Amino acid sequence: MTNPPNREARLRELLASPILNPAIRRPLQSGAKKDVKVLEGFVPLDDIPGYLCPGQIPGRLPPITYYGYPVPATLLEKHWNEEVRPNLDIDFLTEEELELLRDPDPHKVLDAFLFTVLLDLQDELCEETGWGIQMNQVYGIPGDPFSWTASLRGNYSGTDIPEPHIRRLREVLGAGGPPMWYLSQGKDGQWDTKGLFTSFDRESLLRALGYRD
């Protein structure tokens, strides 16, 4: 007669498996937070696994992920220099903003006006694609100083995206291949362990991860 399997040990082993993206593994202890270095090592996903879809694990809200394309720093710089800066109305700028605008370091200037650039580019992408594009800061774009994506949807939305909108966004950004899933930066990129929730059901987690005896 064989001993019954130790489900707790097997769950821990499963969650530690290298086949799972380490940045989205759920710490077993309630309230645990992930190391920032782990989150920064997030690898974008071709498809979103079931356990990152809301409602799959009772009592736990998964971290927010976004489906879209990276917005390279070079495109943000180009949009600032060609579209935003020439059209700035300096009469509406504060003294501090005017001082920043005069800074000889172009990178500091872009940093100072980055959100203006992002909002302007977001409006342009919405118009170009005919879709509600959102700019989101994410993990999973190594080497990029800004780490923003032009997102078509998130994992909390079940909206299907018609291919023409995806294709147009890809063309405008000069991207290649299909969109990917990226992990949101900050607290949104962590599992929600705050507030009242039902008891953690490990059996449901095993099923959500696609594990079977």
Side-chain angles (χ1 to χ4, degrees):
M1 180 178 179
T2 58
N3 294 326
N6 184 330
R7 302 289 272 177
E8 175 71 15
R10 296 174 75 174
L11 176 60
R12 289 181 180 276
E13 180 182 1
L14 179 66
L15 290 179
S17 170
I19 66 172
L20 292 179
N21 197 323
I24 49 179
R25 293 179 194 153
R26 168 73 178 97
L28 285 182
Q29 62 272 33
S30 177
K33 296 299 179 183
K34 296 179 187 296
D35 185 275
V36 173
K37 291 296 181 185
V38 174
L39 294 168
E40 289 176 348
F42 175 80
V43 179
L45 303 165
D46 294 320
D47 197 8
I48 191 164
Y51 61 91
L52 286 182
C53 297
Q56 294 297 310
I57 302 176
R60 293 298 187 273
L61 296 176
I64 293 175
T65 56
Y66 294 107
Y67 185 63
Y69 290 103
V71 179
T74 51
L75 178 59
L76 294 174
E77 292 169 1
K78 183 175 185 290
H79 195 74
W80 161 248
N81 290 318
E82 296 181 4
E83 301 293 338
V84 177
R85 185 165 190 164
N87 296 302
L88 275 180
D89 190 340
I90 61 174
D91 292 336
F92 289 93
L93 298 181
T94 65
E95 286 298 323
E96 183 181 2
E97 289 170 333
L98 287 171
E99 189 65 28
L100 288 168
L101 192 60
R102 299 187 193 105
D103 195 298
D105 186 339
H107 299 293
K108 288 184 179 179
V109 178
L110 178 58
D111 281 342
F113 289 90
L114 181 60
F115 281 99
T116 302
V117 175
L118 288 166
L119 289 173
D120 192 80
L121 181 58
Q122 178 177 277
D123 288 344
E124 183 176 299
L125 291 176
C126 288
E127 184 176 346
E128 287 282 347
T129 62
W131 191 258
I133 303 299
Q134 290 187 353
M135 295 297 193
N136 300 108
Q137 198 165 25
V138 299
Y139 297 112
I141 314 177
D144 190 287
F146 300 119
S147 296
W148 288 85
T149 60
S151 306
L152 293 147
R153 57 163 290 196
N155 58 327
Y156 281 78
S157 169
T159 306
D160 290 328
I161 309 155
E163 176 58 31
H165 300 299
I166 298 175
R167 182 174 63 251
R168 184 57 186 147
L169 179 61
R170 182 168 59 243
E171 292 170 350
V172 173
L173 294 177
M180 303 279 280
W181 288 95
Y182 293 85
L183 183 66
S184 174
Q185 280 202 21
K187 292 182 179 179
D188 286 343
Q190 306 220 14
W191 288 81
D192 182 10
T193 58
K194 296 180 181 179
L196 297 175
F197 45 74
T198 59
S199 60
F200 186 41
D201 184 348
R202 290 177 173 81
E203 292 298 318
S204 293
L205 176 56
L206 285 167
R207 290 193 295 272
L209 291 172
Y211 178 80
R212 296 290 183 274
D213 285 336

